[in-house]
Amino acid sequence: MEISGCLTLKDLISAKKSRPDQEKDARSWQKENMCDRFRISPRVPLKGEPIDLSKQKGLTPERYPITPVKVADRPLADPWTPTANLKMLSSVASPEIRDREKKELFRPIENNEQEDAGLDTQQFETVDDMDDLDKRPSRKQKSLGLLCQKFLARYPSYPMSTEKTTISLDEAASSLGVGRRRIYDIVNVLESLNLVSRVAKNQYRWHGQHNLNETLRNLQREGERQQYSAQIAYFQHKDFGTEQRKDSQPAASMELPEMDCPSVNLTSCFPLASAGSRKDKSLRIMSQKFVMLFLVSTTKIITLEIAAKILIEESQDISDHSKFKTKVRRLYDIANVLTSLGLIKKVHVTEERGRKPAFKWIGPVEFKTESGKFIDQDITTTSPASKRDATAENSKQQRLLRHSSFTHVQSISTVKRKVCSEPSSPHKAPEALLQHDSYSSKMAHLSAICRQKIEEDSGSFKFASNNPAHRDVGHLPFSVVVPVPVDPDYCTRDSGHQKRPASPNKIQSQLKVMASSSGHGFLPNQPYMYVPSTSVFMLCGNSGNEKSLDGLHGARSSSPSDKKTTEDGDQPAKRQRIGSTDDGPLPLVVPKICSSDRGSCDTSLPHNSPEPCKEDNLHSVASSSRQEETTELTKEQVASAALPQYLYLPSSTGLNGFNFFLPANQTTGAMGISQSQLPHLNVPYVMVPSSALAAFPFLCSPAVTSSASSDHALSTASLNYSLAGMTTPPHIMFRTPSIPETSPEMQQGVPPTSASPPSASPATADSSISAVLPLPVKPQKSPTPLTPKSIRPVHKDTFFKTPGSLGVSPALRKNERPHVRNSSSAQRRLDICSTTD
DNA sequence: GGCTCCCGCCACGTT
DNA sequence: AACGTGGCGGGAGCC
């Protein structure tokens, strides 16, 4: 797909010269150009942007003088000649414009502009001139974007801290010559970004952009938590080709309720929305969500269609056409304001289906790095290692409590918990779950949606029921002790590429294997990991072919519809798609035990369709224990019959940590499942953020590698699809046999993460992994065995941008976007606490 | 004809 | 009851 950029200010200017484009320019000006004006980038009070004119005048009722704008500073290049201006004006002025009746209305604005007018006014002057001509401003001139520009021009982008700029809505409305209603539209969006805050009736306080980055950071984090990337991918993938069908999509509708939660949470992160009234001030929430979509998107381009869809789903609205239209209208409103802020610009994405309106994020993205802390913190909080206990939860909540809306959030989360999380943890819902409630629920939500979609799309597969009630089914009824292969031959490796200097021996020593004791097949002195049953999900499927991964995803992606991704080229699209299905909602890819043939798998392995993994997280997978339509199996049955390919160990915080996949065979021994049944995957995989492993070198076991590289790739690929946060945090510990799996939780005390040097792997700064896992991955020829690029598209991380996701494929990340989330976990933690307030 | 999105009705919440 | 907010969608401008 190609994206046609919107007109830039520059373009606009140049365009103005040419008559034909004038109108277009005018419009674009409103939208695109505005961006320039209010650049987020730390800029001192706007410089010479067109709109600045209006503000220059000191009009600001609030009387904050804005530094004079310099024309020179403008990005614009082309000088504007008076003639050109005239031309433009004339072109812009259309017959309709001339309604005198309304002219009055706009007077104020015009006047202001005129006053302000200097050279800068040039662009806007046109409007003024027109007015002078008794022409009523054209629709363009009345656009919300332009109005917002004017509004923004009244206030300094970076007001002095000492200043307390108060905005009177009435005053603003009157001075801008518009109805108050319009001001609300603007203010609501600004408020969503904390640029302003409501202090009293009709009174807002102008904060400027001082906290914008922080706000964006928080939004990004929230977006990650909400798995928006997954949603985006989902819709992209599914595209609307199936729209019709989509409309009816049951899954989506189902999800809606849960999706709301995110929004609520969102608001909780920001003072702005006071939860509660009037749909929580949807415009604000919509704005935040909209921004989040950009922030979590790898391509930074979001089509209105997708945004609307996502927002509709979240709001539980019926996805009828009217709703969609309404959403789109609102999105335009928001987009206009955001454009004025210079955060986005309009573009068009050309897809197979045609050209679609979209917006591209042009705002700051660097804050991400800084934000890393936040993410980490969350993760940390949730990470089992740290304290998945109530304490963590409490701390987290406290943070949230700062926000008025939090209470609301809580309630919601509680509900969710009941619905989603609770079921997922057979044994007992770890408190950690609470932390992840929203996240988990969302993921579950997505999974469900995806699953349905997938099912629909590929009717051939069946997934374990996602029924929330059954989600836990996936959990194995037992805890698992996984032998950690120790092989000198294998060097320790960092998640991905880095090899750890640390010698395996060291680890071994640390891990003191006591295998001797068990008959599980532990070797003497072999270290093992203890995995509490609650943390274990069994993934069943064919092992096998890469197809499993790719095929699963690929099948869909290959479809024409897949390409429709709005973003950029095929690649992105593909990624997204994959992400949607795999990454997002479907964190897991399950290797097939059976032959690649799905059909066969289905029959033989009721629960093992590859799909399940993808789609759903563990829940479904694990829960694969039950297929909705087909047979229901007891957990035990599943374990034995399903021939688990992998055991999925969700990291406590799916966000930051990697989820672990253990080859079933590896664990089966402990479980009593015959390995013979698990032919393909002999390699135990455990994926953890490298940083977390800093302290622990990976152990690679020779045994593991039996499978061909392909398998390995597969398995690795599967790793990529971890479902963060879906479930309870895994409790994993290395113990000596002597120390049996006593209460896992208690034992999990090995939170290497904190200790681990952040430097370990840039790719995954998140150290929040709850457990230290020995990773028996045989060094592959490819430097990045863990991240089968072949299988996965580069940007897949979108989905996993979520804190947990970050950790997904360290290798990938490292290579692809090392810079992102570089901050150390410690740093992130610090950040987390800081709020935009 | 579709995309944009202005405009203002009207409902909800607050004062 | 009046007023503040803001959801909502008709319908017109614009392409």
Side-chain angles (χ1 to χ4, degrees):
Chain A
M1 74 180 109
E2 57 188 48
I3 298 166
S4 58
C6 295
L7 296 179
T8 61
L9 184 59
K10 209 173 186 180
D11 295 338
L12 185 65
I13 294 169
S14 62
K16 289 175 181 177
K17 294 176 182 178
S18 66
R19 217 147 157 175
D21 296 338
Q22 291 177 354
E23 277 193 9
K24 186 175 185 179
D25 292 345
R27 191 182 190 88
S28 64
W29 168 75
Q30 296 180 330
K31 298 177 181 179
E32 281 87 340
N33 291 337
M34 297 179 167
C35 301
D36 294 341
R37 168 184 176 301
F38 208 85
R39 285 281 169 206
I40 298 168
S41 51
R43 65 188 289 167
V44 195
L46 334 162
K47 300 177 175 181
E49 273 117 337
I51 279 255
D52 291 16
L53 305 178
S54 62
K55 65 174 149 191
Q56 289 180 3
K57 162 163 91 111
L59 309 175
T60 70
E62 288 61 35
R63 67 193 159 140
Y64 281 90
I66 298 170
T67 10
V69 178
K70 294 181 189 175
V71 175
D73 290 346
R74 289 186 188 175
L76 321 181
D78 303 341
W80 218 350
T81 65
T83 302
N85 254 345
L86 290 176
K87 287 183 179 181
M88 176 158 182
L89 292 175
S90 61
S91 66
V92 171
S94 57
E96 10 175 291
I97 294 174
R98 288 123 203 176
D99 274 49
R100 299 226 165 183
E101 295 177 354
K102 292 198 172 182
K103 167 173 78 174
E104 300 292 325
L105 205 63
F106 300 90
R107 269 278 144 93
I109 297 172
E110 297 170 356
N111 293 338
N112 291 342
E113 289 180 353
Q114 289 177 351
E115 293 176 1
D116 292 346
L119 297 177
D120 294 353
T121 55
Q122 298 166 341
Q123 294 180 355
F124 290 96
E125 265 80 281
T126 61
V127 174
D128 294 347
D129 291 347
M130 291 175 67
D131 292 345
D132 292 349
L133 299 175
D134 289 281
K135 297 173 181 177
R136 157 187 159 193
S138 69
R139 194 179 156 102
K140 294 176 182 176
Q141 293 165 338
K142 293 188 288 183
S143 74
L144 190 63
L146 179 56
L147 178 62
C148 183
Q149 284 284 304
K150 292 175 181 177
F151 181 86
L152 293 173
R154 298 160 59 90
Y155 313 97
S157 298
Y158 295 90
M160 302 206 287
S161 60
T162 58
E163 295 178 312
K164 298 286 183 184
T165 304
T166 299
I167 300 170
S168 168
L169 296 186
D170 287 331
E171 214 248 1
S174 64
S175 71
L176 294 176
V178 298
R180 194 199 257 177
R181 181 69 194 77
R182 299 284 74 75
I183 299 298
Y184 280 121
D185 289 337
I186 294 171
V187 167
N188 284 337
V189 174
L190 295 179
E191 190 178 8
S192 71
L193 298 176
N194 287 326
L195 294 180
V196 301
S197 62
R198 188 172 182 274
V199 294
K201 183 168 73 176
N202 215 351
Q203 294 283 307
Y204 281 78
R205 173 148 298 152
W206 174 256
H207 300 304
Q209 301 182 40
H210 289 299
N211 294 326
L212 183 57
N213 278 5
E214 188 172 359
T215 299
L216 293 175
R217 194 163 51 207
N218 288 336
L219 286 172
Q220 182 183 48
R221 183 181 61 170
E222 188 61 27
E224 291 171 348
R225 289 171 55 83
Q226 303 305 328
Q227 295 290 311
Y228 276 115
S229 59
Q231 295 184 54
I232 294 168
Y234 169 73
F235 283 108
Q236 286 181 336
H237 171 280
K238 154 178 227 180
D239 196 33
F240 293 9
T242 52
E243 283 182 86
Q244 274 114 16
R245 171 168 64 164
K246 190 197 297 184
D247 290 353
S248 62
Q249 52 182 296
S253 60
M254 289 174 55
E255 316 288 355
L256 297 182
E258 290 184 356
M259 299 316 283
D260 279 329
C261 298
S263 65
V264 174
N265 288 338
L266 226 185
T267 57
S268 69
C269 295
F270 307 88
L272 39 110
S274 57
S277 58
R278 280 259 207 156
K279 295 189 177 182
D280 285 348
K281 302 177 179 178
S282 72
L283 194 65
R284 267 174 275 191
I285 292 174
M286 275 186 68
S287 174
Q288 290 181 333
K289 289 179 179 177
F290 191 43
V291 169
M292 289 195 306
L293 294 179
F294 289 105
L295 296 178
V296 302
S297 169
T298 54
T299 58
K300 302 301 179 191
I301 296 173
I302 301 293
T303 62
L304 282 177
E305 191 174 19
I306 288 177
K309 272 294 178 186
I310 292 173
L311 294 177
I312 288 172
E313 309 286 3
E314 290 184 355
S315 62
Q316 302 178 354
D317 293 343
I318 297 167
S319 58
D320 58 55
H321 189 61
S322 65
K323 289 288 182 186
F324 180 79
K325 287 176 62 178
T326 296
K327 274 308 184 195
V328 169
R329 280 194 283 253
R330 296 290 80 75
L331 285 174
Y332 275 118
D333 292 340
I334 294 167
N336 280 331
V337 175
L338 294 178
T339 298
S340 296
L341 290 171
L343 293 176
I344 63 175
K345 73 174 183 178
K346 187 173 182 184
V347 298
H348 282 95
V349 174
T350 301
E351 297 179 349
E352 295 171 358
R353 294 183 183 171
R355 191 166 174 245
K356 292 182 178 180
F359 289 90
K360 179 176 184 176
W361 181 260
I362 59 174
V365 292
E366 297 305 322
F367 61 84
K368 224 173 173 185
T369 311
E370 299 172 356
S371 67
K373 305 170 186 177
F374 283 64
I375 293 168
D376 273 359
Q377 178 180 3
D378 281 354
I379 294 168
T380 303
T381 305
T382 57
S383 74
S386 63
K387 310 174 173 178
R388 53 169 81 84
D389 53 11
T391 304
E393 179 66 12
N394 292 341
S395 65
K396 182 178 180 179
Q397 287 187 353
Q398 284 190 348
R399 285 198 302 275
L400 294 175
L401 284 175
R402 288 192 284 179
H403 304 287
S404 60
S405 61
F406 182 71
T407 55
H408 183 182
V409 173
Q410 277 186 310
S411 64
I412 292 172
S413 65
T414 302
V415 173
K416 279 184 173 182
R417 197 174 303 149
K418 291 177 181 178
V419 175
C420 302
S421 301
E422 183 175 334
S424 65
S425 59
H427 284 317
K428 68 179 183 179
E431 295 178 317
L433 281 179
L434 298 179
Q435 296 172 350
H436 300 288
D437 288 346
S438 66
Y439 180 80
S440 298
S441 65
K442 288 180 181 177
M443 285 302 294
H445 193 69
L446 288 177
S447 325
I449 294 172
C450 291
R451 184 187 315 134
Q452 282 192 348
K453 279 300 178 183
I454 293 171
E455 289 178 357
E456 291 177 359
D457 292 343
S458 66
S460 63
F461 295 92
K462 294 225 157 186
F463 300 106
S465 70
N466 289 336
N467 183 330
H470 300 146
R471 284 179 185 171
D472 351 3
V473 175
H475 292 278
L476 295 177
F478 38 72
S479 296
V480 176
V481 175
V482 180
V484 177
V486 176
D487 188 55
D489 293 349
Y490 297 164
C491 35
T492 62
R493 27 180 316 191
D494 191 357
S495 63
H497 308 281
Q498 298 177 354
K499 287 190 175 184
R500 287 209 146 281
S503 67
N505 295 337
K506 181 178 181 178
I507 292 176
Q508 291 179 11
S509 63
Q510 287 181 350
L511 297 180
K512 270 325 175 172
V513 183
M514 33 25 119
S516 61
S517 65
S518 64
H520 329 14
F522 285 100
L523 298 176
N525 296 331
Q526 183 176 26
Y528 67 88
M529 292 187 301
Y530 172 81
V531 181
S533 62
T534 59
S535 301
V536 179
F537 291 86
M538 188 167 22
L539 302 183
C540 301
N542 282 335
S543 61
N545 31 8
E546 286 81 48
K547 269 180 109 179
S548 63
L549 287 182
D550 205 1
L552 298 181
H553 315 308
R556 293 184 216 122
S557 62
S558 64
S559 69
S561 64
D562 292 353
K563 295 180 179 180
K564 67 173 178 186
T565 62
T566 58
E567 318 251 345
D568 23 355
D570 297 313
Q571 276 232 349
K574 191 172 186 177
R575 296 168 194 166
Q576 297 249 346
R577 265 176 241 139
I578 291 171
S580 66
T581 58
D582 298 334
D583 293 350
L586 316 178
L588 305 180
V589 172
V590 178
K592 303 170 184 176
I593 292 172
C594 308
S595 63
S596 60
D597 179 348
R598 293 177 181 179
S600 64
C601 293
D602 288 348
T603 58
S604 64
L605 301 177
H607 304 293
N608 298 341
S609 67
E611 257 62 334
C613 301
K614 296 192 272 182
E615 295 211 34
D616 234 18
N617 14 17
L618 315 177
H619 299 339
S620 57
V621 172
S623 60
S624 59
S625 53
R626 329 188 150 177
Q627 277 189 331
E628 295 176 357
E629 301 100 0
T630 61
T631 61
E632 286 189 1
L633 297 180
T634 62
K635 293 175 182 178
E636 290 78 354
Q637 285 177 321
V638 172
S640 63
L643 298 182
Q645 193 81 33
Y646 291 107
L647 293 183
Y648 173 77
L649 306 180
S651 68
S652 61
T653 63
L655 299 182
N656 49 3
F658 290 100
N659 294 310
F660 301 83
F661 288 84
L662 301 178
N665 65 341
Q666 197 73 41
T667 58
T668 54
M671 297 186 288
I673 297 171
S674 119
Q675 292 184 357
S676 63
Q677 297 179 359
L678 306 174
H680 294 288
L681 298 178
N682 292 331
V683 180
Y685 288 96
V686 177
M687 191 170 221
V688 296
S690 61
S691 62
L693 296 176
F696 302 80
F698 284 78
L699 299 181
C700 299
S701 105
V704 179
T705 60
S706 65
S707 63
S709 62
S710 65
D711 288 348
H712 187 71
L714 226 173
S715 63
T716 58
S718 66
L719 291 178
N720 292 336
Y721 297 94
S722 66
L723 178 56
M726 282 289 299
T727 62
T728 65
H731 307 286
I732 301 171
M733 297 193 69
F734 287 101
R735 302 174 160 281
T736 61
S738 64
I739 308 167
E741 47 210 307
T742 54
S743 67
E745 330 252 350
M746 296 174 61
Q747 296 176 354
Q748 68 185 62
V750 187
T753 60
S754 62
S756 67
S759 62
S761 95
T764 61
D766 322 24
S767 60
S768 57
I769 296 172
S770 59
V772 174
L773 300 180
L775 195 39
V777 175
K778 188 175 196 171
Q780 299 236 337
K781 1 168 174 193
S782 75
T784 64
L786 295 179
T787 61
K789 287 185 178 181
S790 62
I791 294 172
R792 289 183 71 172
V794 175
H795 292 297
K796 179 180 183 165
D797 46 354
T798 325
F799 288 91
F800 293 94
K801 256 186 169 180
T802 60
S805 67
L806 293 181
V808 172
S809 66
L812 250 183
R813 291 183 179 278
K814 190 191 242 176
N815 295 339
E816 297 177 359
R817 5 156 129 185
H819 56 289
V820 175
R821 301 179 191 269
N822 292 338
S823 63
S824 66
S825 61
Q827 188 177 9
R828 290 178 188 172
R829 286 176 199 142
L830 293 176
D831 287 347
I832 293 172
C833 293
S834 67
T835 60
T836 58
D837 301 345

